[in-house]
Amino acid sequence: MLFRSDRIADVLRARHGLADDTPDDFAMYTPTQVQELVKEANRVVTVYLPATAGVALLVAALVIANIMLLSVRERVPEIGLRKALGATDRQIGGQFLFEALAVALISALLGVGLGAAALETLGHMSGTGARMTPDSAVLGFVAALVVGVSAAFFPAQQAARQEPVDALR
């Protein structure tokens, strides 16, 4: 036997002793309303989650660039000595990019590992069994590498353009 929501509301109003002009003291949601709520929640997650991830990647890029610039400033004498001994701009820049790649690789592994562990824990606690998919792990890993190396590109160029005479002073 199918029940209509208006009939159910009439029964509840009668059992609660509510007069016709009194507002309901209960809430009812039909399956259609629940579906609409789920659609709205999915839309919000679909819009805001990538935006949040983009902001996080931008902040990470700025932090990496600043750390690499600081590293270049602290290592000016080393850069000058290497250039005086014959290192090319490409070798100097490559060294800094390699260092950034190494840091980004370690960070990507840690980030994907911690993210997978957190998702596994939350999935277990919520009973949903949520887990990180291989595609998500690869996307996160590649995004971390790209952000790390691209953020270090300008500091690496700055290191490569150092003049040996000025750097050794």
Side-chain angles (χ1 to χ4, degrees), residues 69-158:
L69 283 170
L70 183 62
S71 177
V72 168
R73 283 191 208 112
E74 289 179 356
R75 295 167 65 184
V76 168
E78 172 195 334
I79 295 167
L81 181 61
R82 286 194 63 211
K83 287 190 110 179
L85 292 173
T88 64
D89 289 353
R90 187 177 177 115
Q91 290 171 331
I92 299 291
Q95 173 189 344
F96 280 89
L97 285 176
F98 179 77
E99 290 172 6
L101 179 64
V103 170
L105 181 66
I106 292 168
S107 300
L109 289 172
L110 285 172
V112 169
L114 289 174
L119 189 57
E120 180 81 23
T121 302
L122 290 173
H124 180 71
M125 288 172 53
S126 68
T128 61
R131 289 194 169 148
M132 182 178 289
T133 64
D135 291 346
S136 298
V138 169
L139 180 63
F141 186 79
V142 169
L145 289 179
V146 167
V147 167
V149 172
S150 61
F153 188 73
F154 174 71
Q157 280 185 329
Q158 187 178 8

Side-chain angles (χ1 to χ4, degrees), residues 12-36:
L12 285 172
R13 289 184 61 75
R15 287 188 180 173
H16 289 211
L18 299 175
D20 289 339
D21 59 342
T22 307
D24 293 341
D25 63 351
F26 58 89
M28 283 187 0
Y29 295 100
T30 65
T32 305
Q33 290 171 319
V34 171
Q35 281 180 330
E36 290 301 318

